Amino acid sequence: MNEPIQKAASLPITITGMTKVYGKAYALDHIDLSVRSGEFLTLLGPSGSGKTTLLMTIAGFTRPDSGSLKFGETEVICTPPHKREVGMVFQSYALFPHMTVAGNIAFPLSLRRLPRDEIAQRVERALETVQLGGYGERGIAQLSGGQRQRVALARAIVFEPRILLMDEPLSALDKKLREHMQIELRHLHDKLGMTTVYVTHDQREALTMSDRIAVINQGRLMQLGEPKALYERPANRFVADFIGDSTFLPVENSGSQARCHGRLLDLPTDTAIRANSYLMLRPEKLQLLAGEAQAGMNMFMGTIQSIVYQGDSVLTQIALADGQLINMRSATQSDALTPAVGSAITLGLAREDTVLVSDE
Ligand code: ADP
Ligand code: MG
């Protein structure tokens, strides 16, 4: 029978000085980015930040104004898209509605003029790989959203590209199916091993799927790192704000010390205290303290404004003395342990979770 597609040799991608200007606006502003061989790298950023433009320049559909693009050691900036041997899944799937599933998947192979029986074999293999074995003769209109997404994926991998590009491929699916497909796409990547550049504006999706994430804003690379590093040690306020939920409190700095809400902050030793720094407060890093000072713990006084039960956790909103609202997320616990709305409480933030960020 047909074996699913096996692991192929992958290629690193090296992007240097990639720039694209539309009118006067920089869609890409001197992007330097290296994607490791076999890596799953995600471009994450808000709408209009340049993610699609960058992906399209890698695929060859958009011509940058300047910059270099290498697949392995080979400069490909002047290579037309069909010669780059890159598999691509578009946001809209871009399937041919009048063709069968098999016809759609065969398309890139027909373009490459492969013999008929080899095409049939490869199509069936690609269908097995995306778990749609036996669906070849169906019409596209007969498929669900998730199945169409798999057909688009099968078409992208059917010629066994060494680089796979995906532009928000799950954005049209509902939450449950999307989460299921995130895991499935990641498994497929691990099985096939092709260098993958994935685009999303959904930070949770990026954190779930990626080896590394490149955060993009206004055509510029804001930070490149592993999910945990981005979440725990964001390089600047934009990244801290875009990934996870945070409240930012202004910090006054005096020499090597930083104060927040009148109190001296106990900071990890490697903290750089810059001008215009903010303290990043993540809801799940805050905890209720009994009141007395504790070593290695920064304290904040406040009053509970609201408590919202959210099933898997409890979200408590707290007002600090100056009225600044902050959120604390804690595990669902018995009501007896939760102070009531209106209670004065002390919040603690451990020294190692005390992170300062600045605008640049
Ligand atoms: P994203 O995929 O992150 O949402 P895009 O790469 O599509 O962002 O767009 C980046 C910026 O470039 C946006 O400001 C967008 O309006 C602009 N842009 C993209 N494509 C074109 C185009 N063909 N003509 C003019 N402006 C464009
Ligand atoms: Mg886009």
Short mmCIF file of all heavy atoms in Angstrom, two decimals, residues 60-107:
data_model
loop_
_atom_site.label_atom_id
_atom_site.label_comp_id
_atom_site.label_asym_id
_atom_site.label_seq_id
_atom_site.Cartn_x
_atom_site.Cartn_y
_atom_site.Cartn_z
N GLY A 60 8.60 33.86 -3.04
CA GLY A 60 8.96 34.42 -4.33
C GLY A 60 7.82 35.14 -5.04
O GLY A 60 7.97 35.60 -6.16
N PHE A 61 6.67 35.26 -4.38
CA PHE A 61 5.52 35.94 -5.01
C PHE A 61 5.60 37.46 -4.86
O PHE A 61 4.94 38.19 -5.57
CB PHE A 61 4.20 35.44 -4.43
CG PHE A 61 3.97 33.97 -4.70
CD1 PHE A 61 3.90 33.05 -3.67
CD2 PHE A 61 3.83 33.51 -6.01
CE1 PHE A 61 3.69 31.71 -3.92
CE2 PHE A 61 3.63 32.16 -6.27
CZ PHE A 61 3.56 31.25 -5.23
N THR A 62 6.36 37.91 -3.86
CA THR A 62 6.57 39.35 -3.69
C THR A 62 8.05 39.63 -3.85
O THR A 62 8.89 38.94 -3.29
CB THR A 62 6.10 39.81 -2.29
OG1 THR A 62 4.69 39.67 -2.22
CG2 THR A 62 6.47 41.25 -2.02
N ARG A 63 8.35 40.66 -4.65
CA ARG A 63 9.75 41.01 -4.87
C ARG A 63 10.13 42.13 -3.91
O ARG A 63 9.54 43.20 -3.94
CB ARG A 63 9.91 41.48 -6.31
CG ARG A 63 11.25 41.15 -6.86
CD ARG A 63 11.50 41.78 -8.21
NE ARG A 63 12.94 41.86 -8.39
CZ ARG A 63 13.66 40.86 -8.88
NH1 ARG A 63 13.08 39.76 -9.27
NH2 ARG A 63 14.97 40.99 -9.00
N PRO A 64 11.11 41.89 -3.04
CA PRO A 64 11.49 42.94 -2.09
C PRO A 64 12.28 44.04 -2.80
O PRO A 64 12.77 43.84 -3.91
CB PRO A 64 12.38 42.21 -1.09
CG PRO A 64 12.93 41.05 -1.85
CD PRO A 64 11.89 40.65 -2.86
N ASP A 65 12.38 45.22 -2.16
CA ASP A 65 13.17 46.30 -2.74
C ASP A 65 14.66 46.05 -2.54
O ASP A 65 15.47 46.43 -3.38
CB ASP A 65 12.77 47.63 -2.09
CG ASP A 65 11.32 47.96 -2.40
OD1 ASP A 65 10.96 47.88 -3.59
OD2 ASP A 65 10.56 48.24 -1.47
N SER A 66 15.00 45.46 -1.41
CA SER A 66 16.39 45.07 -1.22
C SER A 66 16.45 43.96 -0.20
O SER A 66 15.47 43.68 0.50
CB SER A 66 17.23 46.27 -0.74
OG SER A 66 16.69 46.78 0.45
N GLY A 67 17.58 43.30 -0.13
CA GLY A 67 17.75 42.22 0.81
C GLY A 67 18.23 40.96 0.13
O GLY A 67 18.21 40.85 -1.09
N SER A 68 18.67 40.03 0.96
CA SER A 68 19.17 38.76 0.46
C SER A 68 18.38 37.63 1.08
O SER A 68 17.91 37.73 2.22
CB SER A 68 20.67 38.65 0.82
OG SER A 68 21.05 37.29 0.91
N LEU A 69 18.18 36.57 0.30
CA LEU A 69 17.44 35.40 0.78
C LEU A 69 18.20 34.16 0.33
O LEU A 69 18.39 33.95 -0.86
CB LEU A 69 16.02 35.39 0.19
CG LEU A 69 15.16 34.17 0.51
CD1 LEU A 69 14.80 34.11 1.99
CD2 LEU A 69 13.88 34.18 -0.34
N LYS A 70 18.64 33.37 1.31
CA LYS A 70 19.36 32.15 0.97
C LYS A 70 18.64 30.93 1.48
O LYS A 70 18.17 30.92 2.63
CB LYS A 70 20.77 32.18 1.57
CG LYS A 70 21.72 33.09 0.84
CD LYS A 70 23.10 33.01 1.44
CE LYS A 70 24.08 33.85 0.64
NZ LYS A 70 25.37 33.92 1.31
N PHE A 71 18.54 29.92 0.62
CA PHE A 71 18.10 28.60 1.05
C PHE A 71 19.39 27.77 1.11
O PHE A 71 20.01 27.52 0.07
CB PHE A 71 17.13 27.96 0.05
CG PHE A 71 15.79 28.66 -0.02
CD1 PHE A 71 14.89 28.34 -1.05
CD2 PHE A 71 15.40 29.60 0.92
CE1 PHE A 71 13.64 28.96 -1.13
CE2 PHE A 71 14.15 30.23 0.84
CZ PHE A 71 13.28 29.91 -0.19
N GLY A 72 19.80 27.35 2.28
CA GLY A 72 21.11 26.73 2.40
C GLY A 72 22.15 27.77 2.01
O GLY A 72 22.11 28.89 2.50
N GLU A 73 23.04 27.43 1.09
CA GLU A 73 24.08 28.37 0.66
C GLU A 73 23.68 29.15 -0.58
O GLU A 73 24.42 30.00 -1.06
CB GLU A 73 25.38 27.59 0.35
CG GLU A 73 26.01 26.92 1.56
CD GLU A 73 26.38 27.92 2.64
OE1 GLU A 73 27.05 28.93 2.32
OE2 GLU A 73 25.97 27.71 3.81
N THR A 74 22.48 28.84 -1.12
CA THR A 74 22.11 29.37 -2.43
C THR A 74 21.27 30.64 -2.32
O THR A 74 20.22 30.65 -1.67
CB THR A 74 21.30 28.32 -3.21
OG1 THR A 74 21.98 27.07 -3.12
CG2 THR A 74 21.14 28.70 -4.67
N GLU A 75 21.71 31.71 -2.96
CA GLU A 75 20.92 32.93 -3.04
C GLU A 75 19.75 32.69 -3.99
O GLU A 75 19.95 32.25 -5.12
CB GLU A 75 21.81 34.08 -3.55
CG GLU A 75 21.09 35.40 -3.76
CD GLU A 75 20.58 36.01 -2.47
OE1 GLU A 75 21.36 36.23 -1.55
OE2 GLU A 75 19.36 36.26 -2.38
N VAL A 76 18.52 32.94 -3.52
CA VAL A 76 17.36 32.64 -4.36
C VAL A 76 16.51 33.88 -4.67
O VAL A 76 15.42 33.76 -5.22
CB VAL A 76 16.45 31.55 -3.71
CG1 VAL A 76 17.19 30.24 -3.60
CG2 VAL A 76 15.94 32.00 -2.33
N ILE A 77 17.03 35.06 -4.32
CA ILE A 77 16.19 36.26 -4.43
C ILE A 77 15.69 36.47 -5.87
O ILE A 77 14.63 37.03 -6.09
CB ILE A 77 16.94 37.50 -3.87
CG1 ILE A 77 15.95 38.57 -3.43
CG2 ILE A 77 17.94 38.07 -4.85
CD1 ILE A 77 15.33 38.35 -2.10
N CYS A 78 16.45 36.03 -6.85
CA CYS A 78 16.03 36.19 -8.25
C CYS A 78 15.40 34.92 -8.82
O CYS A 78 15.05 34.88 -10.01
CB CYS A 78 17.22 36.61 -9.11
SG CYS A 78 17.83 38.24 -8.66
N THR A 79 15.27 33.88 -8.01
CA THR A 79 14.70 32.62 -8.49
C THR A 79 13.18 32.72 -8.52
O THR A 79 12.58 33.14 -7.52
CB THR A 79 15.12 31.46 -7.55
OG1 THR A 79 16.52 31.53 -7.35
CG2 THR A 79 14.71 30.12 -8.09
N PRO A 80 12.52 32.38 -9.63
CA PRO A 80 11.05 32.46 -9.67
C PRO A 80 10.43 31.44 -8.70
O PRO A 80 11.06 30.43 -8.39
CB PRO A 80 10.71 32.13 -11.12
CG PRO A 80 11.91 31.47 -11.69
CD PRO A 80 13.10 31.97 -10.92
N PRO A 81 9.19 31.72 -8.24
CA PRO A 81 8.56 30.90 -7.20
C PRO A 81 8.58 29.40 -7.50
O PRO A 81 8.92 28.61 -6.62
CB PRO A 81 7.12 31.41 -7.15
CG PRO A 81 7.14 32.74 -7.79
CD PRO A 81 8.35 32.84 -8.65
N HIS A 82 8.22 29.00 -8.73
CA HIS A 82 8.09 27.57 -9.01
C HIS A 82 9.42 26.85 -9.01
O HIS A 82 9.47 25.63 -8.95
CB HIS A 82 7.34 27.35 -10.33
CG HIS A 82 8.08 27.85 -11.54
ND1 HIS A 82 8.07 29.18 -11.90
CD2 HIS A 82 8.85 27.21 -12.43
CE1 HIS A 82 8.81 29.34 -12.98
NE2 HIS A 82 9.29 28.16 -13.32
N LYS A 83 10.52 27.62 -9.06
CA LYS A 83 11.84 26.97 -9.01
C LYS A 83 12.42 26.97 -7.60
O LYS A 83 13.52 26.47 -7.38
CB LYS A 83 12.79 27.66 -9.97
CG LYS A 83 12.38 27.47 -11.42
CD LYS A 83 13.56 27.49 -12.35
CE LYS A 83 13.15 27.02 -13.73
NZ LYS A 83 13.65 27.89 -14.78
N ARG A 84 11.69 27.57 -6.64
CA ARG A 84 12.22 27.60 -5.27
C ARG A 84 11.90 26.33 -4.51
O ARG A 84 12.42 26.11 -3.43
CB ARG A 84 11.66 28.81 -4.51
CG ARG A 84 12.18 30.12 -5.07
CD ARG A 84 11.85 31.29 -4.17
NE ARG A 84 12.21 32.54 -4.83
CZ ARG A 84 12.23 33.73 -4.24
NH1 ARG A 84 11.88 33.84 -2.97
NH2 ARG A 84 12.58 34.80 -4.91
N GLU A 85 11.00 25.50 -5.05
CA GLU A 85 10.66 24.22 -4.42
C GLU A 85 10.18 24.42 -2.99
O GLU A 85 10.62 23.74 -2.06
CB GLU A 85 11.87 23.26 -4.44
CG GLU A 85 12.35 22.92 -5.84
CD GLU A 85 11.38 22.01 -6.58
OE1 GLU A 85 10.86 21.07 -5.97
OE2 GLU A 85 11.13 22.27 -7.78
N VAL A 86 9.26 25.39 -2.84
CA VAL A 86 8.72 25.71 -1.53
C VAL A 86 7.25 25.32 -1.51
O VAL A 86 6.52 25.62 -2.45
CB VAL A 86 8.88 27.22 -1.28
CG1 VAL A 86 7.96 27.71 -0.20
CG2 VAL A 86 10.33 27.54 -0.94
N GLY A 87 6.81 24.60 -0.49
CA GLY A 87 5.39 24.29 -0.33
C GLY A 87 4.70 25.44 0.38
O GLY A 87 5.27 26.01 1.31
N MET A 88 3.50 25.80 -0.08
CA MET A 88 2.85 26.97 0.50
C MET A 88 1.38 26.69 0.79
O MET A 88 0.66 26.18 -0.07
CB MET A 88 2.99 28.13 -0.50
CG MET A 88 2.26 29.38 -0.13
SD MET A 88 3.38 30.64 0.53
CE MET A 88 2.18 31.75 1.28
N VAL A 89 0.94 27.03 1.99
CA VAL A 89 -0.48 26.98 2.32
C VAL A 89 -0.94 28.41 2.53
O VAL A 89 -0.44 29.11 3.41
CB VAL A 89 -0.75 26.15 3.60
CG1 VAL A 89 -2.24 26.13 3.91
CG2 VAL A 89 -0.21 24.73 3.45
N PHE A 90 -1.87 28.85 1.69
CA PHE A 90 -2.36 30.22 1.76
C PHE A 90 -3.49 30.32 2.79
O PHE A 90 -4.17 29.34 3.07
CB PHE A 90 -2.88 30.67 0.39
CG PHE A 90 -1.82 30.71 -0.66
CD1 PHE A 90 -1.55 29.58 -1.43
CD2 PHE A 90 -1.06 31.85 -0.87
CE1 PHE A 90 -0.56 29.60 -2.41
CE2 PHE A 90 -0.07 31.88 -1.84
CZ PHE A 90 0.18 30.75 -2.61
N GLN A 91 -3.70 31.54 3.28
CA GLN A 91 -4.72 31.78 4.28
C GLN A 91 -6.11 31.35 3.78
O GLN A 91 -6.90 30.78 4.50
CB GLN A 91 -4.73 33.28 4.63
CG GLN A 91 -5.68 33.62 5.75
CD GLN A 91 -5.42 35.00 6.31
OE1 GLN A 91 -4.63 35.77 5.79
NE2 GLN A 91 -6.11 35.31 7.38
N SER A 92 -6.36 31.59 2.50
CA SER A 92 -7.68 31.28 1.92
C SER A 92 -7.77 29.85 1.41
O SER A 92 -8.77 29.47 0.83
CB SER A 92 -7.91 32.22 0.75
OG SER A 92 -6.83 32.08 -0.16
N TYR A 93 -6.73 29.05 1.61
CA TYR A 93 -6.55 27.69 1.07
C TYR A 93 -6.29 27.70 -0.43
O TYR A 93 -5.52 26.89 -0.92
CB TYR A 93 -7.75 26.75 1.33
CG TYR A 93 -8.19 26.66 2.76
CD1 TYR A 93 -9.44 26.17 3.08
CD2 TYR A 93 -7.36 27.05 3.80
CE1 TYR A 93 -9.86 26.07 4.42
CE2 TYR A 93 -7.77 26.97 5.12
CZ TYR A 93 -9.01 26.49 5.42
OH TYR A 93 -9.43 26.42 6.71
N ALA A 94 -6.97 28.61 -1.18
CA ALA A 94 -6.77 28.72 -2.63
C ALA A 94 -6.89 27.38 -3.34
O ALA A 94 -6.09 27.03 -4.20
CB ALA A 94 -5.42 29.38 -2.93
N LEU A 95 -7.92 26.60 -2.98
CA LEU A 95 -8.18 25.34 -3.69
C LEU A 95 -8.98 25.64 -4.95
O LEU A 95 -9.67 26.66 -5.04
CB LEU A 95 -8.96 24.38 -2.78
CG LEU A 95 -8.22 23.94 -1.52
CD1 LEU A 95 -9.14 23.15 -0.60
CD2 LEU A 95 -6.98 23.14 -1.86
N PHE A 96 -8.90 24.74 -5.93
CA PHE A 96 -9.69 24.90 -7.15
C PHE A 96 -11.04 24.22 -6.93
O PHE A 96 -11.09 22.98 -6.83
CB PHE A 96 -8.97 24.29 -8.35
CG PHE A 96 -7.58 24.84 -8.53
CD1 PHE A 96 -6.46 24.04 -8.32
CD2 PHE A 96 -7.39 26.17 -8.90
CE1 PHE A 96 -5.18 24.55 -8.48
CE2 PHE A 96 -6.11 26.69 -9.05
CZ PHE A 96 -5.00 25.88 -8.84
N PRO A 97 -12.12 24.98 -6.83
CA PRO A 97 -13.41 24.41 -6.41
C PRO A 97 -13.99 23.42 -7.42
O PRO A 97 -14.74 22.52 -7.04
CB PRO A 97 -14.32 25.64 -6.27
CG PRO A 97 -13.67 26.72 -7.06
CD PRO A 97 -12.19 26.43 -7.05
N HIS A 98 -13.64 23.56 -8.71
CA HIS A 98 -14.22 22.68 -9.73
C HIS A 98 -13.47 21.38 -9.87
O HIS A 98 -13.90 20.49 -10.58
CB HIS A 98 -14.26 23.43 -11.06
CG HIS A 98 -12.89 23.88 -11.49
ND1 HIS A 98 -12.28 25.00 -10.95
CD2 HIS A 98 -12.02 23.36 -12.37
CE1 HIS A 98 -11.09 25.15 -11.49
NE2 HIS A 98 -10.90 24.15 -12.36
N MET A 99 -12.31 21.24 -9.19
CA MET A 99 -11.53 20.00 -9.29
C MET A 99 -11.81 19.10 -8.10
O MET A 99 -12.24 19.57 -7.05
CB MET A 99 -10.03 20.32 -9.27
CG MET A 99 -9.49 20.91 -10.52
SD MET A 99 -7.68 20.98 -10.31
CE MET A 99 -7.25 22.05 -11.66
N THR A 100 -11.52 17.82 -8.27
CA THR A 100 -11.63 16.90 -7.14
C THR A 100 -10.47 17.16 -6.16
O THR A 100 -9.54 17.90 -6.47
CB THR A 100 -11.51 15.43 -7.61
OG1 THR A 100 -10.21 15.28 -8.22
CG2 THR A 100 -12.61 15.05 -8.57
N VAL A 101 -10.56 16.49 -5.02
CA VAL A 101 -9.48 16.56 -4.04
C VAL A 101 -8.17 16.12 -4.69
O VAL A 101 -7.15 16.82 -4.62
CB VAL A 101 -9.82 15.64 -2.83
CG1 VAL A 101 -8.60 15.41 -1.95
CG2 VAL A 101 -10.97 16.25 -2.03
N ALA A 102 -8.21 14.97 -5.40
CA ALA A 102 -7.00 14.45 -6.04
C ALA A 102 -6.48 15.43 -7.10
O ALA A 102 -5.27 15.65 -7.22
CB ALA A 102 -7.27 13.09 -6.66
N GLY A 103 -7.40 16.04 -7.84
CA GLY A 103 -7.02 16.99 -8.88
C GLY A 103 -6.27 18.18 -8.29
O GLY A 103 -5.27 18.64 -8.84
N ASN A 104 -6.78 18.66 -7.15
CA ASN A 104 -6.12 19.77 -6.48
C ASN A 104 -4.71 19.41 -6.04
O ASN A 104 -3.76 20.17 -6.24
CB ASN A 104 -6.93 20.19 -5.24
CG ASN A 104 -7.94 21.28 -5.57
OD1 ASN A 104 -7.60 22.45 -5.60
ND2 ASN A 104 -9.17 20.88 -5.84
N ILE A 105 -4.59 18.24 -5.43
CA ILE A 105 -3.29 17.85 -4.87
C ILE A 105 -2.30 17.54 -6.00
O ILE A 105 -1.10 17.79 -5.88
CB ILE A 105 -3.46 16.66 -3.92
CG1 ILE A 105 -4.37 17.07 -2.76
CG2 ILE A 105 -2.11 16.19 -3.38
CD1 ILE A 105 -4.77 15.95 -1.85
N ALA A 106 -2.84 17.01 -7.11
CA ALA A 106 -1.98 16.65 -8.24
C ALA A 106 -1.44 17.88 -8.97
O ALA A 106 -0.43 17.80 -9.68
CB ALA A 106 -2.75 15.77 -9.23
N PHE A 107 -2.09 19.02 -8.76
CA PHE A 107 -1.77 20.21 -9.56
C PHE A 107 -0.28 20.56 -9.60
O PHE A 107 0.28 20.71 -10.69
CB PHE A 107 -2.61 21.39 -9.08
CG PHE A 107 -2.50 22.59 -9.96
CD1 PHE A 107 -3.10 22.61 -11.21
CD2 PHE A 107 -1.75 23.69 -9.56
CE1 PHE A 107 -2.97 23.71 -12.04
CE2 PHE A 107 -1.61 24.79 -10.39
CZ PHE A 107 -2.23 24.80 -11.62
#
